Amino acid sequence: MNDLWTIEDSNNLYQIEGWGHPYFAINELGNITVSPQGNDYKIDLFELVKNLQKRDIQLPLLIRFSDILADRLQRLHSCIEDAIARYDYNNVYRGVYPIKCNQHRQLVEALVEYGKPYHFGLEVGSKPELMIALATLEVDETGETLLICNGYKDEDYLETALLAQQVGHNLIIVIEQINELYIILELSKKFNLKPQLGVRAKLQTKGSGHWGDSTGEKAKFGLTIPEIVAVVNRLEKTDQLECLQLLHFHIGSQISSIAVIKDAIREASQIYVQLVTMGAGMKYLDVGGGLAVDYDGSKTNFYASKNYNMQNYANDIVAAVKDACDEKNIPHPILVSESGRAIASHHSVLIFNVVNSNNPPQELPIIGEEKEHLVIRNLWETYENIDEENYQEMYHDAVQFKDEAISLFNFGYLTLKERAKAEQIYWGCCRKIYEITQKESYVSDDLNDLADLMISTYYVNLSVFQSAPDAWAIDQLFPVLPIHRLNEKPNKKAILADLTCDSDGKIDKFIDLLDVKKSLELHSLETNKNDENIDNLIPESNDFKPYYLGMFLVGAYQEIMGNLHNLFGDINVVHIECKKDAYQIKYVVKGDTVTEVLKYVEYSAEDLTEKLRCLTENALAKNQIDLDNSQRLIKNYEENLRSYTYLI
Ligand SMILES: *Cc1c(COP(=O)(O)O)cnc(C)c1O
């Protein structure tokens, strides 16, 4: 243990302040703390996880802090309200939560509850989401809480939405495709009601980052300007132009650059002003989502970050809309936004344990009495001669001798034991050279590969496909770090490999200031026997002390995009709620059992068990197994079916 390492060093290394403030920090014990209300009350996350395990809630585990959700909601509102006051904006903000970001019931219900004082509504993009919203959002007698209907819509969707306008929801149907208008007009005639409509505009403003294609002519959603004009003409002809009340745009998620947001809002404000001038019944300007999350804490326009804060975002929107309206003497619209990521990300933390590690071998071989093969002697000599002056040359020698050893082996001139020795000495050379390069200010490119060789693999009890799908699908970066031992110097560099039998099931990109790191600093695993070196090829025992990692800011999109690769199912979820200075477990949603995931792929646990029973009976009849063991096998099988899909 390094006495010089402090929690401040860990804070800098993992950028906790940057991405985690005011919710996540480190305490004197070296454990991560969570401050769900963003104030002085802090929960020790490591202690919390141990307490949950005592309640038989196993890892991997998702912890949702609903107070963080409430705090995000409150922050967003206070930023926009501040901007409204500062710029003398003459209307209000009525936000909605886009359900697609995370549809889980407990979360949507909590948001609806916390959102009541703000008349905070919901946004849906499909029929199932509409079903959730219609029943979950409470009818607000003031009519100020919005239910915004986006996405592709068929007649069923539109009919349900139109009729629901009559039960008290302030529901607005946003036309995304021109054909939706025709269906709406027919249905409203049929039911003799006036629809409340919006249009989604395809802006010219170029988005940026992964979702940059959400705007422009080729965008999947929205109407072009000629189409919007056609909608206006059509509504005018049928004397329903006052039904068109909302202009919507969405330039993509995680917009890292404030310049892009400014461009979009400028363009949209002008479209809004024009629609009013043309006689539409405009009341709302809906700026969509895109408000970004600073995953790496760098506060830059790097894709994993953002170069603005929530207040800048609010100011720029309010100021631009006001300017455009004032110029044409038009009343300020009610501002609507659909922030998902910025509201939901922070509140969920994924906790998982390391089950094992694979480190670059450290042992050197024992060189025997008898004369070793020339190539082994050459490698050994290289190893012994490495110093500060010649390490570069020695590295090339070592590589050459190792390649030679493999060639010799392939032609039958070296035994397996000899090849093992050659490789071990080669590793020893690499390690010795690597240690020298660590002290140098400059190392040449070919030696950079050496650093990659020194990276360990930590095996984690997790499926990246289930719990962090964006990490493999679109290389999204999330902060990952140990939730304890942060007062100890991490002495390993590692990538994380998950439980799936898929080479993509790994995390090998980590946040760094303005860059991406290829490995994460972690601590050596400790065994319960103190004196042993676990870096030996075969450690003395497999009895590791728990080592827990947290992946943070995973509350948006990760849960619902997860899949059943290798049949690793949904993980355990716990909701924590704070009451003054204490926390309580509000809900536990147990993860999938093996039986449940098998059902998704059409297997019945009963049939499977019956088949296994037949198998054991046949084996019994042939005397291949005794009765006790056959029953033990069946019992095991049944227990496995009832158990969690992860390692326990
Ligand atoms: C996905 C989506 C959002 C949410 O975007 P975030 O960047 O998560 O805030 C909002 N509106 C629409 C139409 C969307 O498709």
Side-chain angles (χ1 to χ4, degrees):
M1 249 135 276
N2 191 326
D3 289 335
L4 300 173
W5 188 264
T6 64
I7 55 172
E8 207 36 56
D9 295 318
S10 283
N11 203 0
N12 293 334
L13 175 63
Y14 301 110
Q15 287 299 317
I16 299 165
E17 170 99 21
W19 54 260
H21 182 79
Y23 308 113
F24 305 102
I26 313 176
N27 66 14
E28 334 52 78
L29 299 172
N31 299 340
I32 289 284
T33 59
V34 187
S35 173
Q37 297 143 320
N39 60 13
D40 287 344
Y41 172 59
K42 292 183 164 62
I43 301 171
D44 183 318
L45 188 57
F46 182 57
E47 290 300 321
L48 171 63
V49 171
K50 285 198 289 188
N51 280 333
L52 291 171
Q53 289 191 309
K54 283 184 195 151
R55 293 171 165 88
D56 204 27
I57 301 167
Q58 300 302 332
L59 304 185
L61 163 69
L62 190 79
I63 310 180
R64 299 201 191 117
F65 294 95
S66 22
D67 296 85
I68 295 186
L69 214 51
D71 191 71
R72 298 300 295 168
L73 204 60
Q74 190 265 323
R75 271 167 210 269
L76 179 63
H77 282 85
S78 81
C79 286
I80 301 187
E81 277 153 22
D82 279 1
I84 283 177
R86 170 194 295 210
Y87 293 101
D88 224 353
Y89 188 87
N90 206 3
N91 213 330
V92 293
Y93 168 65
R94 294 291 174 250
V96 291
Y97 169 70
I99 294 190
K100 78 152 192 278
C101 189
N102 189 331
Q103 300 96 335
H104 282 88
R105 180 164 66 87
Q106 293 82 1
L107 176 143
V108 175
E109 285 177 355
L111 273 174
V112 165
E113 187 58 35
Y114 297 137
K116 276 186 192 161
Y118 311 106
H119 305 283
F120 187 71
L122 295 174
E123 183 265 359
V124 302
S126 67
K127 261 188 276 190
E129 290 182 357
L130 176 63
M131 303 303 117
I132 296 174
L134 284 178
T136 308
L137 198 61
E138 289 176 32
V139 167
D140 171 358
E141 298 303 336
T142 66
E144 293 192 56
T145 305
L146 288 166
L147 199 172
I148 305 253
C149 297
N150 288 327
Y152 293 131
K153 306 168 197 76
D154 61 8
E155 197 169 328
D156 286 348
Y157 181 139
L158 289 167
E159 184 170 316
T160 309
L162 278 170
L163 293 173
Q165 287 182 340
Q166 299 186 304
V167 298
H169 280 308
N170 185 8
L171 182 150
I172 299 182
I173 300 171
V174 178
I175 301 169
E176 304 236 22
Q177 302 278 311
I178 204 85
N179 75 312
E180 292 168 9
L181 175 67
Y182 304 113
I183 308 174
I184 293 166
L185 290 180
E186 270 170 35
L187 288 171
S188 45
K189 206 191 286 168
K190 179 171 151 195
F191 298 120
N192 190 27
L193 46 84
K194 286 222 175 292
Q196 267 191 299
L197 301 177
V199 279
R200 173 166 180 172
K202 273 184 188 165
L203 299 186
Q204 279 297 310
T205 305
K206 268 267 162 284
S208 61
H210 184 79
W211 295 273
D213 292 340
S214 308
T215 59
E217 273 133 30
K218 288 270 167 5
K220 198 168 135 192
F221 291 107
L223 304 183
T224 60
I225 298 300
E227 285 172 327
I228 293 178
V229 173
V231 168
V232 169
N233 290 340
R234 178 68 184 235
L235 288 171
E236 195 168 21
K237 224 183 251 166
T238 53
D239 205 17
Q240 295 180 85
L241 196 46
E242 81 278 12
C243 295
L244 180 57
Q245 300 185 352
L246 177 143
L247 173 67
H248 170 245
F249 70 89
H250 173 67
I251 52 171
S253 204
Q254 184 68 11
I255 307 294
S256 301
S257 160
I258 190 78
V260 174
I261 291 169
K262 280 187 184 181
D263 280 352
I265 191 69
R266 210 172 290 137
E267 187 183 352
S269 302
Q270 290 305 332
I271 301 174
Y272 181 87
V273 165
Q274 290 297 320
L275 287 172
V276 177
T277 317
M278 289 163 89
M282 300 307 287
K283 275 163 70 175
Y284 304 97
L285 177 54
D286 176 354
V287 302
L291 176 53
V293 166
D294 196 356
Y295 293 98
D296 69 9
S298 68
K299 302 187 170 54
T300 61
N301 66 353
F302 192 58
Y303 68 89
S305 184
K306 61 184 167 94
N307 65 357
Y308 58 92
N309 62 29
M310 215 183 238
Q311 191 63 59
N312 305 141
Y313 174 83
N315 291 350
D316 285 344
I317 287 173
V318 171
V321 179
K322 179 187 153 81
D323 283 353
C325 290
D326 286 356
E327 218 161 277
K328 294 276 182 340
N329 242 330
I330 277 171
H332 301 161
I334 294 174
L335 290 173
V336 182
S337 77
E338 307 173 345
S339 277
R341 188 184 295 277
I343 285 186
S345 294
H346 297 74
H347 90 293
S348 293
V349 182
L350 175 66
I351 306 287
F352 50 99
N353 53 313
V354 174
V355 291
N356 212 332
S357 69
N358 189 349
N359 299 304
Q362 300 225 338
E363 277 172 285
L364 282 169
I366 297 156
I367 302 292
E369 295 284 286
E370 71 275 29
K371 204 161 164 52
E372 299 285 349
H373 192 286
L374 178 65
V375 77
I376 293 176
R377 279 186 283 137
N378 284 338
L379 271 165
W380 196 248
E381 200 181 308
T382 309
Y383 176 82
E384 297 204 309
N385 286 333
I386 294 167
D387 63 30
E388 275 83 359
E389 304 300 319
N390 66 8
Y391 66 90
Q392 195 146 354
E393 191 189 329
M394 289 291 130
Y395 176 62
H396 294 291
D397 286 356
V399 171
Q400 200 189 332
F401 290 135
K402 187 220 28 178
D403 289 347
E404 196 183 316
I406 291 173
S407 278
L408 286 166
F409 175 78
N410 289 348
F411 284 107
Y413 298 122
L414 221 58
T415 66
L416 197 62
K417 280 188 173 171
E418 284 171 326
R419 177 170 162 181
K421 275 184 191 169
E423 289 191 22
Q424 273 177 290
I425 308 168
Y426 167 72
W427 275 102
C429 295
C430 290
R431 202 177 45 257
K432 204 164 162 187
I433 297 164
Y434 175 70
E435 272 155 20
I436 296 172
T437 62
Q438 287 300 84
K439 293 179 215 135
E440 303 282 313
S441 56
Y442 171 80
V443 277
S444 66
D445 280 354
D446 48 345
L447 288 179
N448 273 336
D449 298 346
L450 206 57
D452 293 350
L453 290 178
M454 295 298 131
I455 294 175
S456 304
T457 302
Y458 274 48
Y459 297 93
V460 292
N461 191 15
L462 181 78
S463 159
V464 170
F465 303 90
Q466 177 62 259
S467 297
D470 282 346
W472 71 272
I474 57 171
D475 280 342
Q476 191 179 324
L477 301 174
F478 294 98
V480 180
L481 66 154
I483 62 165
H484 57 134
R485 296 178 66 183
L486 293 166
N487 48 2
E488 268 175 58
K489 184 176 174 138
N491 55 348
K492 298 276 184 217
K493 292 192 177 195
I495 63 159
L496 308 180
D498 79 357
L499 296 179
T500 67
C501 308
D502 189 316
S503 50
D504 282 338
K506 63 177 185 218
I507 300 174
D508 58 2
K509 296 188 184 67
F510 303 93
I511 62 163
D512 198 6
L513 271 185
L514 265 187
D515 203 354
V516 178
K517 278 198 285 207
K518 287 200 279 189
S519 61
L520 180 69
E521 289 81 355
L522 292 175
H523 303 91
S524 279
L525 296 184
E526 292 171 328
T527 62
N528 286 317
K529 290 191 199 156
N530 277 335
D531 52 342
E532 88 172 279
N533 178 8
I534 67 138
D535 292 329
N536 289 344
L537 279 179
I538 299 184
E540 306 292 309
S541 83
N542 202 26
D543 184 16
F544 295 118
K545 285 187 186 164
Y547 189 53
Y548 297 150
L549 304 182
M551 184 186 281
F552 294 79
L553 312 183
V554 293
Y557 302 110
Q558 299 320 293
E559 281 184 74
I560 206 64
M561 312 267 276
N563 66 52
L564 282 177
H565 199 0
N566 256 157
L567 299 183
F568 288 106
D570 277 343
I571 61 172
N572 291 325
V573 179
V574 173
H575 277 241
I576 303 288
E577 211 176 74
C578 294
K579 293 244 157 58
K580 287 212 183 98
D581 283 359
Y583 69 83
Q584 208 166 29
I585 298 169
K586 181 114 188 257
Y587 304 101
V588 176
V589 185
K590 278 279 189 177
D592 287 325
T593 62
V594 173
T595 297
E596 282 164 324
V597 297
L598 290 179
K599 224 190 291 174
Y600 291 129
V601 282
E602 314 287 335
Y603 291 96
S604 132
E606 255 169 56
D607 291 354
L608 292 174
T609 314
E610 179 57 15
K611 281 186 184 151
L612 187 86
R613 196 191 57 75
C614 292
L615 206 66
T616 55
E617 289 300 332
N618 288 340
L620 275 171
K622 291 188 207 153
N623 277 328
Q624 289 167 324
I625 191 169
D626 67 25
L627 187 57
D628 279 354
N629 279 345
S630 77
Q631 292 319 293
R632 191 164 294 140
L633 174 61
I634 293 176
K635 206 164 141 249
N636 265 317
Y637 192 87
E638 287 174 331
E639 272 169 16
N640 277 314
L641 284 169
R642 282 192 297 270
S643 74
Y644 203 21
T645 57
Y646 296 86
L647 305 186
I648 300 175

Short mmCIF file of all heavy atoms in Angstrom, two decimals, residues 5 40 64 100 111 118 134 187 195 202 271 273 299 321 325 329 331 341 353 389 401 408 446 498 500 558 576 599 633:
data_model
loop_
_atom_site.label_atom_id
_atom_site.label_comp_id
_atom_site.label_asym_id
_atom_site.label_seq_id
_atom_site.Cartn_x
_atom_site.Cartn_y
_atom_site.Cartn_z
N TRP A 5 -0.53 7.89 -1.55
CA TRP A 5 -1.75 8.00 -2.36
C TRP A 5 -2.90 8.50 -1.50
O TRP A 5 -3.15 7.97 -0.42
CB TRP A 5 -2.09 6.64 -2.96
CG TRP A 5 -3.21 6.70 -3.96
CD1 TRP A 5 -4.53 6.45 -3.72
CD2 TRP A 5 -3.11 7.05 -5.33
NE1 TRP A 5 -5.25 6.62 -4.88
CE2 TRP A 5 -4.41 6.99 -5.88
CE3 TRP A 5 -2.05 7.42 -6.18
CZ2 TRP A 5 -4.68 7.27 -7.22
CZ3 TRP A 5 -2.33 7.70 -7.51
CH2 TRP A 5 -3.62 7.63 -8.02
N ASP A 40 -25.54 17.70 2.00
CA ASP A 40 -24.52 17.12 2.89
C ASP A 40 -24.80 15.69 3.32
O ASP A 40 -23.93 15.02 3.87
CB ASP A 40 -24.39 17.98 4.16
CG ASP A 40 -23.68 19.28 3.85
OD1 ASP A 40 -23.05 19.35 2.76
OD2 ASP A 40 -23.77 20.21 4.67
N ARG A 64 -31.12 2.57 -8.03
CA ARG A 64 -31.71 3.83 -8.49
C ARG A 64 -31.96 4.73 -7.29
O ARG A 64 -32.62 4.31 -6.34
CB ARG A 64 -33.04 3.58 -9.20
CG ARG A 64 -32.97 2.72 -10.44
CD ARG A 64 -34.21 2.97 -11.32
NE ARG A 64 -34.31 1.99 -12.38
CZ ARG A 64 -35.33 1.12 -12.51
NH1 ARG A 64 -36.32 1.13 -11.62
NH2 ARG A 64 -35.35 0.27 -13.50
N LYS A 100 -39.15 7.04 -23.70
CA LYS A 100 -38.27 6.05 -24.31
C LYS A 100 -36.90 5.95 -23.62
O LYS A 100 -36.20 4.95 -23.73
CB LYS A 100 -38.06 6.35 -25.80
CG LYS A 100 -37.09 7.47 -26.11
CD LYS A 100 -36.44 7.24 -27.49
CE LYS A 100 -35.27 8.16 -27.73
NZ LYS A 100 -35.60 9.50 -28.18
N LEU A 111 -41.30 10.20 -11.52
CA LEU A 111 -41.18 11.48 -12.24
C LEU A 111 -42.52 12.20 -12.31
O LEU A 111 -42.58 13.43 -12.17
CB LEU A 111 -40.66 11.23 -13.66
CG LEU A 111 -39.14 11.20 -13.79
CD1 LEU A 111 -38.74 10.81 -15.20
CD2 LEU A 111 -38.53 12.55 -13.43
N TYR A 118 -44.50 21.27 -11.05
CA TYR A 118 -44.04 22.00 -12.24
C TYR A 118 -44.96 21.77 -13.44
O TYR A 118 -44.64 22.19 -14.53
CB TYR A 118 -42.63 21.54 -12.64
CG TYR A 118 -41.62 21.49 -11.52
CD1 TYR A 118 -41.21 20.28 -10.99
CD2 TYR A 118 -41.07 22.68 -11.03
CE1 TYR A 118 -40.26 20.23 -9.98
CE2 TYR A 118 -40.12 22.63 -10.01
CZ TYR A 118 -39.73 21.41 -9.49
OH TYR A 118 -38.79 21.36 -8.50
N LEU A 134 -50.96 7.56 -20.93
CA LEU A 134 -52.38 7.88 -20.74
C LEU A 134 -52.85 7.48 -19.35
O LEU A 134 -53.65 8.16 -18.73
CB LEU A 134 -53.24 7.17 -21.79
CG LEU A 134 -53.20 7.78 -23.19
CD1 LEU A 134 -54.05 6.95 -24.14
CD2 LEU A 134 -53.70 9.23 -23.16
N LEU A 187 -60.32 11.31 -38.92
CA LEU A 187 -60.80 10.89 -37.59
C LEU A 187 -61.48 12.04 -36.87
O LEU A 187 -62.51 11.84 -36.20
CB LEU A 187 -59.63 10.36 -36.75
CG LEU A 187 -59.06 9.00 -37.14
CD1 LEU A 187 -57.79 8.71 -36.36
CD2 LEU A 187 -60.10 7.90 -36.88
N PRO A 195 -58.73 18.57 -33.22
CA PRO A 195 -57.47 18.03 -32.70
C PRO A 195 -56.51 19.14 -32.28
O PRO A 195 -56.59 20.25 -32.80
CB PRO A 195 -56.90 17.28 -33.89
CG PRO A 195 -57.46 17.98 -35.09
CD PRO A 195 -58.80 18.51 -34.69
N LYS A 202 -37.88 19.32 -39.78
CA LYS A 202 -36.51 18.89 -40.07
C LYS A 202 -35.70 20.16 -40.20
O LYS A 202 -35.89 20.92 -41.14
CB LYS A 202 -36.47 18.18 -41.43
CG LYS A 202 -36.76 16.72 -41.40
CD LYS A 202 -36.60 16.10 -42.77
CE LYS A 202 -37.10 14.66 -42.68
NZ LYS A 202 -37.34 14.04 -43.98
N ILE A 271 -39.01 29.73 -37.67
CA ILE A 271 -40.13 28.93 -38.20
C ILE A 271 -41.38 29.20 -37.37
O ILE A 271 -42.47 29.39 -37.89
CB ILE A 271 -39.78 27.43 -38.22
CG1 ILE A 271 -38.53 27.17 -39.06
CG2 ILE A 271 -40.96 26.60 -38.74
CD1 ILE A 271 -38.03 25.72 -39.02
N VAL A 273 -42.14 31.85 -35.59
CA VAL A 273 -42.65 33.20 -35.87
C VAL A 273 -43.44 33.20 -37.18
O VAL A 273 -44.53 33.77 -37.27
CB VAL A 273 -41.45 34.20 -35.92
CG1 VAL A 273 -41.86 35.51 -36.56
CG2 VAL A 273 -40.91 34.42 -34.52
N LYS A 299 -15.96 18.97 -19.43
CA LYS A 299 -16.61 20.25 -19.77
C LYS A 299 -16.18 20.78 -21.14
O LYS A 299 -15.94 21.97 -21.32
CB LYS A 299 -16.35 21.31 -18.69
CG LYS A 299 -16.83 20.89 -17.31
CD LYS A 299 -16.71 22.01 -16.31
CE LYS A 299 -17.40 21.70 -15.01
NZ LYS A 299 -16.98 20.42 -14.38
N VAL A 321 -35.49 32.67 -28.43
CA VAL A 321 -36.92 32.67 -28.74
C VAL A 321 -37.50 34.07 -28.50
O VAL A 321 -38.26 34.61 -29.31
CB VAL A 321 -37.67 31.62 -27.88
CG1 VAL A 321 -39.15 31.65 -28.18
CG2 VAL A 321 -37.10 30.23 -28.14
N CYS A 325 -39.26 36.53 -31.38
CA CYS A 325 -40.66 36.93 -31.23
C CYS A 325 -40.79 38.45 -31.11
O CYS A 325 -41.66 39.05 -31.73
CB CYS A 325 -41.28 36.27 -30.00
SG CYS A 325 -41.49 34.50 -30.23
N ASN A 329 -43.01 41.24 -32.91
CA ASN A 329 -44.11 41.58 -32.02
C ASN A 329 -45.10 40.45 -31.80
O ASN A 329 -46.31 40.64 -31.87
CB ASN A 329 -44.87 42.78 -32.60
CG ASN A 329 -44.78 43.93 -31.63
OD1 ASN A 329 -44.67 43.72 -30.41
ND2 ASN A 329 -44.78 45.14 -32.16
N PRO A 331 -46.41 37.19 -29.40
CA PRO A 331 -46.38 36.72 -28.00
C PRO A 331 -45.38 35.56 -27.82
O PRO A 331 -45.25 34.73 -28.71
CB PRO A 331 -47.80 36.23 -27.73
CG PRO A 331 -48.63 36.74 -28.85
CD PRO A 331 -47.74 37.07 -30.00
N ARG A 341 -32.00 12.14 -21.25
CA ARG A 341 -30.66 11.83 -20.75
C ARG A 341 -30.29 12.71 -19.56
O ARG A 341 -29.79 12.22 -18.55
CB ARG A 341 -29.69 12.06 -21.90
CG ARG A 341 -28.28 11.63 -21.68
CD ARG A 341 -27.44 12.01 -22.88
NE ARG A 341 -27.82 11.30 -24.10
CZ ARG A 341 -27.40 10.08 -24.41
NH1 ARG A 341 -26.58 9.45 -23.60
NH2 ARG A 341 -27.78 9.49 -25.52
N ASN A 353 -19.16 -7.04 -9.45
CA ASN A 353 -17.93 -7.46 -8.79
C ASN A 353 -16.97 -8.06 -9.81
O ASN A 353 -17.37 -8.53 -10.87
CB ASN A 353 -18.24 -8.46 -7.67
CG ASN A 353 -19.08 -9.63 -8.15
OD1 ASN A 353 -20.07 -9.43 -8.84
ND2 ASN A 353 -18.67 -10.83 -7.81
N GLU A 389 20.17 2.57 -20.93
CA GLU A 389 20.78 3.01 -22.19
C GLU A 389 20.28 2.20 -23.39
O GLU A 389 20.07 2.75 -24.46
CB GLU A 389 22.32 2.85 -22.12
CG GLU A 389 22.97 3.58 -20.95
CD GLU A 389 22.71 5.08 -21.02
OE1 GLU A 389 22.78 5.63 -22.14
OE2 GLU A 389 22.40 5.67 -19.97
N PHE A 401 14.01 -12.86 -30.68
CA PHE A 401 14.27 -14.19 -30.10
C PHE A 401 12.97 -14.93 -29.80
O PHE A 401 12.87 -16.14 -29.96
CB PHE A 401 15.13 -14.07 -28.83
CG PHE A 401 16.55 -13.66 -29.12
CD1 PHE A 401 17.17 -12.66 -28.35
CD2 PHE A 401 17.27 -14.27 -30.14
CE1 PHE A 401 18.47 -12.28 -28.61
CE2 PHE A 401 18.60 -13.88 -30.40
CZ PHE A 401 19.19 -12.88 -29.64
N LEU A 408 10.93 -22.14 -34.15
CA LEU A 408 11.59 -23.40 -33.81
C LEU A 408 10.57 -24.42 -33.31
O LEU A 408 10.59 -25.59 -33.67
CB LEU A 408 12.66 -23.17 -32.75
CG LEU A 408 13.94 -22.47 -33.25
CD1 LEU A 408 14.79 -21.99 -32.08
CD2 LEU A 408 14.75 -23.43 -34.13
N ASP A 446 6.95 2.32 -31.26
CA ASP A 446 6.97 0.85 -31.18
C ASP A 446 6.94 0.38 -29.73
O ASP A 446 6.44 -0.69 -29.42
CB ASP A 446 8.15 0.26 -31.96
CG ASP A 446 9.45 0.95 -31.65
OD1 ASP A 446 9.41 2.06 -31.07
OD2 ASP A 446 10.51 0.39 -31.97
N ASP A 498 -16.54 -9.22 -19.81
CA ASP A 498 -17.78 -9.63 -19.14
C ASP A 498 -17.97 -11.14 -19.21
O ASP A 498 -17.09 -11.88 -19.65
CB ASP A 498 -18.98 -8.85 -19.69
CG ASP A 498 -19.49 -9.36 -21.03
OD1 ASP A 498 -18.88 -10.30 -21.59
OD2 ASP A 498 -20.50 -8.82 -21.52
N THR A 500 -20.12 -12.90 -20.99
CA THR A 500 -20.61 -13.51 -22.22
C THR A 500 -19.46 -14.13 -23.00
O THR A 500 -18.31 -13.72 -22.86
CB THR A 500 -21.33 -12.49 -23.13
OG1 THR A 500 -20.37 -11.55 -23.62
CG2 THR A 500 -22.43 -11.77 -22.39
N GLN A 558 -29.78 2.68 -21.11
CA GLN A 558 -29.07 1.41 -20.97
C GLN A 558 -29.98 0.25 -20.61
O GLN A 558 -29.83 -0.86 -21.11
CB GLN A 558 -27.94 1.52 -19.94
CG GLN A 558 -26.90 2.56 -20.33
CD GLN A 558 -26.60 2.53 -21.80
OE1 GLN A 558 -26.04 1.57 -22.29
NE2 GLN A 558 -27.00 3.55 -22.53
N ILE A 576 -33.74 3.38 -3.91
CA ILE A 576 -33.43 3.97 -2.61
C ILE A 576 -34.08 5.34 -2.53
O ILE A 576 -33.97 6.14 -3.46
CB ILE A 576 -31.91 4.13 -2.45
CG1 ILE A 576 -31.19 2.80 -2.62
CG2 ILE A 576 -31.56 4.80 -1.13
CD1 ILE A 576 -31.38 1.82 -1.50
N LYS A 599 -37.79 -18.94 -20.75
CA LYS A 599 -39.14 -18.75 -21.29
C LYS A 599 -39.14 -17.80 -22.49
O LYS A 599 -39.89 -17.98 -23.45
CB LYS A 599 -40.05 -18.20 -20.19
CG LYS A 599 -41.41 -18.91 -20.20
CD LYS A 599 -42.44 -18.28 -19.29
CE LYS A 599 -42.15 -18.44 -17.82
NZ LYS A 599 -43.05 -17.72 -16.94
N LEU A 633 -28.09 -34.53 -8.95
CA LEU A 633 -28.06 -33.84 -10.24
C LEU A 633 -29.39 -33.15 -10.52
O LEU A 633 -29.45 -31.97 -10.89
CB LEU A 633 -27.71 -34.83 -11.36
CG LEU A 633 -27.77 -34.28 -12.78
CD1 LEU A 633 -26.77 -33.14 -12.97
CD2 LEU A 633 -27.48 -35.38 -13.80
#
